[in-house]
Amino acid sequence: MAAQARRPLDGIRVLDLSAYIAGPYGCTLLADMGADVIKVEPPAGDNLRKYPSTLPNESRAFLGVNRSKRGIALDLKQKDGLEILLKLVDTADVLVHNFRPGVPERLGIGYEQLKARRPQLVYCAVTGYGDTGPMKDNAGYDQVLQTFTGICTLQGPAGGPPEIVYGSVVDYYAAAMVASGVSAALFERTRSGSGQYVGVSLLRSALAMQSARLIYAQDEPLDIGRDMRSGGITGIHPCKEGHLYLSANTPHFWQTLCERTGLSQVADDERYDSVKKRAVHADVLVPLLRQALSARTALEWEQVFGTDVPCAAARSVEEMFAHPQVLAEQMVATMPHPVVGSYQGFTEAVRFGDAPVPAPFAAPAFGQHSSEVLKAHGYSDGEIERLRSLGVLL
């Protein structure tokens, strides 16, 4: 009889002590893979709960970043609070935090301290700039690192001011690094029996995102063109109504684009027969293309090009809740929540074909599962009430 299908991290327990996006969403990705994730918040809560939101009693960002976790609130600065966390560590496989270097050691939860207690623990630290170097103590935030590492300079127009890439792209990439790094360490543990330290930084993630730019060949000047944009034809263009993104970098896509927009006169012109040449002559080609695109709406052009020219009409994120492709892939689900009532949200970033589709559940309300988690670790109702009265447990 075949073994029952399961998700890759079923049976793995993760303690998520991190805040904001990178660490928490990395733990959410682990929950998607089947891990039991317990989010441990300080008495003031994860700062992401305080971010601006049109929801009256909850943060939209917090809900989106922290699905499929149980939540408790502990004061780790009190002896009893630290003792609770250490009991949780005794049954945990992974711990993730985003404290600045030195802070975990002062709290009594540094890597070496917890390794001595539980050698099997995979310990993941998310920092802004890494564990060493002159900037290791600096606070790291997505847009700070975008600006620091050149992302904003290259996002802006040539010769123009830098521009932020909105959407916390560095944080979310770092979250993916948390999930992949922790998963790799868990795999290694199956061979060695020991956990290990996993270091993820926003600096390392921001540079990793730019690996195609971050090449400096011998004998070439340092200040050279590193812009990855194809220029001109490939990009967003206005239409009769709406905007359309087009990509026509291959000969086939270029020929098809010219054919269906009525620009056959430039399709075989040797002056425009490569991406580089079309970028050089963008001042000639882009006005011709935009004039042709003005005949139809962006949605109509999507139908005209079909699967033969990569393109997309610019849509709002709100349209994703009901888009047929999103629904077909089961990427959105409705989740009950004790404060919001219920909400629709994203479900899983990776699909595992042999595993059951996960049933995601809502991000925890503040301290929602504190009693449940402590009871599962041997605390009585009386002990829990005492800890609440002292402000150790919320």
Side-chain angles (χ1 to χ4, degrees):
M1 181 180 297
Q4 182 179 1
R6 61 181 183 179
R7 288 180 286 167
L9 296 185
D10 280 350
I12 294 296
R13 175 166 293 170
V14 177
L15 299 179
D16 175 14
L17 278 66
S18 60
Y20 294 107
I21 294 176
Y25 199 68
C27 293
T28 290
L29 296 175
L30 297 172
D32 289 347
M33 299 179 203
D36 171 23
V37 180
I38 300 173
K39 184 173 181 68
V40 183
E41 297 183 64
D46 183 335
N47 283 329
L48 199 60
R49 289 188 183 274
K50 304 177 181 66
Y51 269 45
S53 173
T54 51
L55 291 173
N57 299 308
E58 191 55 274
S59 161
R60 191 180 312 278
F62 183 87
L63 295 180
V65 168
N66 288 283
R67 68 174 175 276
S68 299
K69 302 176 184 178
R70 294 184 291 163
I72 70 172
L74 287 177
D75 185 354
L76 297 182
K77 294 180 180 179
Q78 295 196 48
K79 180 181 177 181
D80 286 337
L82 176 60
E83 185 58 36
I84 291 171
L85 180 66
L86 293 178
K87 285 188 177 181
L88 297 182
V89 167
D90 288 340
T91 62
D93 300 283
V94 179
L95 183 144
V96 178
H97 72 71
N98 68 334
F99 298 118
R100 296 192 203 185
V103 172
E105 287 74 18
R106 292 199 295 273
L107 289 173
I109 57 172
Y111 171 60
E112 295 296 337
Q113 293 162 312
L114 295 189
K115 178 182 177 182
R117 184 182 183 100
R118 184 160 173 79
Q120 309 97 312
L121 187 70
V122 171
Y123 185 102
C124 179
V126 183
T127 61
Y129 296 85
D131 301 315
T132 60
M135 299 180 71
K136 67 180 178 64
D137 294 322
N138 288 25
Y141 293 92
D142 181 284
Q143 296 176 9
V144 174
L145 270 298
Q146 283 191 40
T147 308
F148 180 74
T149 61
I151 292 175
C152 295
T153 300
L154 286 171
Q155 180 69 15
E163 293 182 4
I164 291 292
V165 182
Y166 290 101
S168 301
V169 292
V170 175
D171 278 337
Y172 280 104
Y173 191 79
M177 297 299 98
V178 168
S180 64
V182 166
S183 297
L186 287 170
F187 176 71
E188 165 58 20
R189 192 180 70 171
T190 66
R191 299 186 291 192
S192 68
S194 300
Q196 63 180 288
Y197 181 88
V198 176
V200 175
S201 74
L202 297 188
L203 173 59
R204 194 176 294 274
S205 299
L207 293 179
M209 290 173 64
Q210 301 183 86
S211 292
R213 295 169 174 170
L214 204 66
I215 297 295
Y216 181 22
Q218 182 178 351
D219 298 329
E220 74 169 345
L222 179 60
D223 185 13
I224 59 170
R226 300 180 187 275
D227 191 340
M228 294 300 296
R229 287 172 283 194
S230 302
I233 299 301
T234 296
I236 295 179
H237 303 281
C239 301
K240 181 180 180 181
E241 180 181 313
H243 290 76
L244 185 76
Y245 179 87
L246 286 168
S247 178
N249 290 338
T250 70
H252 169 71
F253 292 148
W254 169 242
Q255 292 284 332
T256 306
L257 174 65
C258 291
E259 172 192 326
R260 299 193 185 176
T261 55
L263 296 177
S264 56
Q265 73 273 22
V266 299
D268 297 314
D269 192 318
E270 64 180 14
R271 291 175 297 175
Y272 315 131
D273 63 4
S274 73
V275 175
K276 287 185 177 181
K277 290 180 181 179
R278 291 194 288 275
V280 170
H281 295 288
D283 58 335
V284 174
L285 294 175
V286 170
L288 290 174
L289 175 63
R290 292 189 173 181
Q291 177 60 37
L293 293 175
S294 68
R296 301 174 188 265
T297 69
L299 292 175
E300 289 170 341
W301 280 117
E302 273 192 340
Q303 297 301 312
V304 169
F305 294 132
T307 60
D308 297 322
V309 177
C311 67
R315 290 173 168 81
S316 67
V317 68
E318 289 79 8
E319 292 177 80
M320 295 298 100
F321 288 107
H323 193 281
Q325 183 62 31
V326 174
L327 297 180
E329 285 286 299
Q330 302 178 44
M331 294 180 181
V332 173
T334 299
M335 303 173 223
H337 187 273
V339 176
V340 178
S342 70
Y343 63 86
Q344 288 182 291
F346 187 69
T347 56
E348 58 175 345
V350 178
R351 172 63 55 84
F352 297 96
D354 293 332
V357 175
F361 54 92
F366 183 61
Q368 180 180 347
H369 304 99
S370 293
S371 295
E372 172 188 314
V373 170
L374 263 64
K375 285 182 180 180
H377 284 78
Y379 286 83
S380 68
D381 289 336
E383 288 174 306
I384 292 172
E385 184 57 36
R386 180 184 70 84
L387 293 167
R388 287 191 185 281
S389 69
L390 295 173
V392 173
L393 183 72
L394 292 90

